[in-house]
């Protein structure tokens, strides 16, 4: 009797579990949001939240022209969250067909999932140098999103009032003098300080500021940086000098100053004369004050000795196609990417809706709408650029090692020599 | 209040579950939950434990490394710092949250007209999400404190969150403000259960208000301490969203708590297996502290 009731318990448990599992699965139907059987479905998993709506419009337009293709777009925002969600969807076996990678480090991580894209029109049209982070031998594994650049973004009106010509600030000495001039006229110009250094944002210091002075260590080449066993830091004195200058003339305390304070609270409202940022701040400034954004701001390079007039320009993110997808899906994914970047309708949207600085040939660059992007594009097309080698430093090194060290230096915790020593040791350790 | 009920009953439940032979209907009801819990908690936990001995990167594990991660852990300054910071934070905030929670509870159980409104007001911060709270307090610490400080010339009000010390106290203040009201509710429940005749008897015997509280009320609400300490303890150790929103670990990762350190190791350094090893150590630490605490408090309740 006892045995029997035990068995029936087990039986009931299994039945119940079965019901649960079946119930769980059945709700999964229609997950592909209504694709009909003769359609090829392409799942896109992308990270740029800022252009989600515009991108979905582009997808809708593409689907209208190609009724046999069904594209599902999923957008997950911001650096870390994207990487985490992408990883978990791979781990769960729910792999997207098109997704994004940031540079050589992620290319290596996802290497076995990446299809060769060298047969696409977009790969051929890509501007020189924009593919270096995603090339493996003959294979081109990714297609660039766009180009981005950063430097000092300044308030034209304040500079005019102070009698400073921004175009002439090509050397450190000139910049220092301009800072002093602005500082002496703070009252009249209505400034809180000359500049806002958001030292809380590790990426502003560790990625962007530092990159300006370490790119030449690797000849501006992403792949060279990716393979380097150590980092020479040959311009570390210049980096220190610039950081000190920014800190001296910044709104204090710098260590709790963040990106939104820098761009929205201080720069857009004219409380600082310039900030170190990139063309991506344009939409934010535009929201705060459209007229100011359109007519009142410009970008100049961060002065580096021997590289006067060079602006750091790079590719923030790449599109890649999953090699595990079946051939038809892969082809559909490639066609879609090609259409987006090389067809007339696609180009139009990329330029005017996405407001991208194109990383491809054959665009009417007169149409680049905002002044910051124009400045970046001008430098890029003239070849006056500094490479974004920070895309190829050891994972997390820029922020967790170098930028954290810089924060310590700013707080007086350690000396500059210790920052350099520690960062170099960390680089060497992770490249062993 | 589910957690309270849960904590109060868990020991009895476990006893019942283990010791007594249960009927068919018992298993009928308990199986689905048990299974769900197993699938989303126990199975991933075991997986994680196994992965912590490999070089798992989130996608695949190629070799078995044995104890390597665990050995490296104890030389990892960043991780040890974050543990030490978390422990300091936990000690200070547990004391403050409970003292303030009990204080508020005593206040609103007095016969006052406004006590119902006050209860609601004190409980309110707990209804706001941690991230939003973090950003609100960030504004208060950075902008409001600074304005008041520069207006009145008070130096220590300026530059909050830009040093480790102010970051620490910022977190403590935020956490106390948020959880004080929640813990207050628990104390209220027990304070209202204290029989009036005992207090009255003590009063007739000539006990002053402090003696009445210390010798009569306090022992009677001992179970509330067990629950509150457990809740605040596990909460303080696992704090993540407030930490992320308020300081983001800065300056120089010195206000980074363990949960955040683990997350960053996994998702910004892509060091999944190493992060797993940290998580295992973290689990052991929290479990050990929490269980010891509950064990001693339970014993003390009986003694009292």
């Amino acid at each position: 009797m006892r045995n029997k009731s035990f068995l029936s318990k087990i039986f009931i448990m299994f039945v119940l579990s079965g019901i649960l599992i079946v119930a769980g699965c059945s709700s999964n139907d229609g997950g592909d949001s209504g694709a009909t059987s003769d359609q090829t479905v392409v799942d896109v998993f992308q990270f740029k939240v800022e252009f989600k709506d515009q991108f979905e419009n582009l997808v809708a337009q593409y689907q209208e022209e190609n009724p046999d293709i069904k594209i599902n777009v999923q957008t997950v925002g911001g650096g870390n969250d994207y990487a985490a969600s992408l990883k978990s969807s791979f781990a769960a076996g729910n792999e997207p067909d098109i997704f994004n990678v940031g540079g050589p480090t992620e290319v290596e991580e996802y290497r076995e999932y990446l299809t060769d894209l060298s047969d696409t029109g977009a790969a051929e049209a890509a501007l020189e140098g924009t593919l270096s982070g995603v090339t493996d031998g003959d294979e081109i594994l990714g297609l660039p999103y766009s180009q981005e650049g950063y430097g000092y973004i300044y308030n034209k009106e304040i500079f005019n009032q102070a009698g400073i010509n921004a175009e002439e600030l090509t050397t450190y000495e000139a910049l220092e003098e301009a800072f002093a001039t602005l500082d002496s006229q703070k009252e009249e110009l209505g400034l809180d300080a000359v500049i806002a250094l958001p030292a809380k944002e590790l990426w502003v210091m560790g990625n962007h500021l530092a990159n300006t002075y370490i790119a030449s260590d690797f000849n501006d080449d992403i792949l060279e940086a990716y393979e380097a066993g150590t980092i020479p830091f040959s311009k570390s004195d210049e980096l220190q000098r610039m950081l000190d200058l920014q800190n001296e003339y910044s709104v204090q305390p710098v260590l709790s100053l963040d990106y939104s304070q820098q761009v929205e609270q201080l720069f857009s409202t004219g409380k600082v004369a310039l900030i170190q940022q990139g063309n991506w701040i344009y939409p934010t400034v535009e929201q705060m004050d459209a007229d100011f954004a359109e007519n009142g701001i410009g970008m100049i390079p961060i002065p580096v000795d021997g590289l006067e007039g060079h602006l750091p320009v790079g590719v923030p993110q790449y599109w890649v196609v999953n090699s595990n997808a079946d051939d038809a899906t892969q082809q559909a994914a490639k066609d879609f990417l090609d259409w987006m970047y090389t067809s007339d309708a696609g180009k139009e949207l990329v330029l005017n809706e996405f407001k991208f600085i194109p990383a491809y040939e054959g665009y009417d660059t007169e149409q680049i709408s905002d002044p910051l992007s124009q400045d970046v594009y001008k430098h890029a097309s003239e070849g006056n650029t500094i490479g974004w080698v920070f895309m190829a430093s050891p994972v997390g090194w820029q922020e967790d090692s170098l930028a954290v060290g810089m924060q310590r230096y700013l707080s007086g915790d350690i000396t500059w020599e210790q920052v350099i020593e520690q960062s170099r040791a960390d680089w060497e350790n992770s490249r062993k | 209040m589910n957690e309270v009920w849960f904590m109060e009953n868990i020991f009895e439940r476990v006893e019942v579950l283990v010791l007594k032979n249960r009927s068919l209907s018992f298993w009928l009801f308990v199986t689905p939950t048990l299974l769900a819990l197993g699938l989303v908690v126990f199975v991933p936990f075991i997986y994680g434990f196994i992965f912590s001995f490999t070089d798992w990167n989130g996608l695949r594990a190629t070799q078995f490394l044995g104890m390597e991660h665990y050995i490296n852990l104890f030389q990892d300054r960043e991780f040890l710092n974050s543990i030490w910071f978390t422990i300091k934070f936990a000690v200070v905030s547990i004391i403050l949250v409970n003292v303030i929670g009990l204080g508020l509870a005593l206040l609103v159980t007095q016969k006052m007209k406004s006590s119902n409104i006050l209860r609601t007001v004190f409980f309110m911060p707990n209804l706001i999400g941690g991230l939003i709270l973090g950003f609100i307090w960030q504004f208060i610490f950075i902008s409001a404190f600074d304005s008041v400080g520069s207006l009145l010339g008070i130096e220590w009000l300026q530059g909050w969150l830009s040093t480790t010390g102010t970051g620490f106290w910022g977190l403590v203040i935020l956490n106390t403000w948020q959880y004080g009201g929640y813990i207050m509710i628990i104390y209220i429940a027990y304070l209202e259960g204290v029989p009036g005749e005992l207090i009255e008897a003590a009063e007739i015997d000539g006990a002053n208000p402090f003696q009445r509280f210390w010798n009569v009320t306090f022992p009677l609400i001992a179970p509330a301490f067990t629950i509150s300490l457990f809740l605040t303890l596990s909460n303080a150790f696992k704090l993540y969203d407030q930490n992320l929103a308020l300081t983001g670990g800065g300056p120089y990762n010195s206000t980074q708590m363990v949960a955040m350190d683990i997350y960053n190791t996994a998702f910004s350094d892509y060091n999944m297996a190493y992060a797993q090893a940290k998580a295992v150590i973290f689990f052991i630490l929290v479990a050990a502290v929490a269980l010891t605490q509950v064990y001693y408090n339970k014993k003390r309740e009986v003694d009292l």
Side-chain angles (χ1 to χ4, degrees), chain B residues 98-108 187:
Chain B
N98 280 287
V99 168
I100 288 176
L102 181 59
L104 292 177
L106 287 171
L107 187 75
V108 300
Y187 284 122

Side-chain angles (χ1 to χ4, degrees), chain A residues 72 110 309:
Chain A
N72 298 319
Y110 288 98

